[in-house]
Amino acid sequence: MSKNQIDKKEVLLLTVGTGDEKNREETLFKPLRLSIRDGRWSEVILLPSLVTQEWAEAVEQALAPLLIRVRPLPKAGDEDDADRCFEHFDRVLAELKEEGVEAGRISVDPTRGTKMMSAALTLAAVRRDVPNVRYIVGERDHRGAVTPGSERIVRFKTTRIMASHRLEDAQRLFRHGNFAAVLDLLPDPGQPLTAYYWPVEFHGTMSAIRALAEFYGAWDRLNHRTAHAVGLPELDALNGEWHAFYPNEKVREWVELLARSFPDGDDIATRRERKAPHLCRLMVDIWANGLRRINQGQLEDAAVRAYRVLEMTGQMLLFRHGHDSACLNPEDPAIRRYVEQQAKSGNTPMSKNKDGTLMAPRERVTGILKHLGDPMAKALIDLGNSSVMSAKVRNSSVLIHGFQAMAPDIGTMREFYRQLREKIVLPGCESNGEAWLTIAQTPNFEA
């Protein structure tokens, strides 16, 4: 069968019961034929027990040349075992999907057979995302059986059940920061196949959740510009369970500020008043991002971010002193004295730019801060020289220059991030520390 034929294949699965042995034609064969003839099927699969297999085969012969397959339950007594029924029916549906048949082109009819067979086929349909379920109803006699001749087919969709379940799954993924997985789980309502599996009344909620996932996903990748550009939904588009994830005005302002280009200008006032605050916010954001990496078990990523926090904090503090680590003025009195001091100690000179200014790596930045009497210099030096975050450890990481992971265990990494918070991030932010940390940790997965 060609791929085009498979794509258009329509399949019906029906359970097969015994019917009334005194009137099997009216109570079994006729209702089965009614369901089968209601539709244009490429294939029909009958699902009998071993007891009813002979009657399923009789239907197969009677409706030839329609392609009918008989897939009986494997063992005697399976018809009264819910687990065995489900296992068999689920396997049949899985095989169809492996053949390339779309779930939206499969229908199931669990009318006949034992109650266990009917329940198992319906549950297997939900399990395999089959949206189309049909059932034969009619007037009931004193035994509760449908009166022959009154049969009619009713249909219902499993899509509401599946949609509700997937929204719950999406929220669990969201709570763990798996934003990309949320986008995979909840399709774009504008895609053609979405209507097969998602009732229209869910589309607005899906779009709103996807927007949140796009916003937080971009922010979590440190792509602040993309996050800022996401059109966030109105709060009313989300139900109450999602309100906790909605970014408030302070969060949106935070992302907007980080989305701005790094401030221009090399004058001392710009460094102090514009560049230093921008780097401070970014340093806080990277710390919070690294904490999420720890929570997700991505320790090597967390270690790289911790090193960057130390490096960026030094750059930010130098900006506050009016200096730029990428282009230090060698004629500045403080820088000149530091350079002379280093020369007397026999240390390697700093690299020079083409214009004669100097470039300071992280270790030299902390040295300059110590020379300037900055109160945070000692903490930067101590943490930067620790066994967890020394330049040697950082450079040996598989993500930098090395060939294997160098991050410590999760407990040690959590403790290092705690020290970063208490000794670097909070003091570095001055009066803004607690407020900025709260914003940067939105959503607070620790809570």
Side-chain angles (χ1 to χ4, degrees), residues 248-276:
N248 60 33
E249 184 177 351
K250 290 183 178 179
V251 169
R252 296 195 300 272
E253 181 185 17
W254 175 264
V255 173
E256 191 274 330
L257 288 170
L258 289 172
R260 295 178 183 178
S261 299
F262 192 66
D264 291 327
D266 291 326
D267 58 282
I268 292 176
T270 296
R271 291 170 182 168
R272 289 174 176 168
E273 298 170 13
R274 298 180 62 208
K275 291 189 175 184

Side-chain angles (χ1 to χ4, degrees), residues 185-204:
L185 186 64
L186 305 183
D188 183 349
Q191 295 299 314
L193 290 178
T194 302
Y196 264 122
Y197 309 106
W198 290 85
V200 173
E201 59 265 32
F202 284 84
H203 288 193

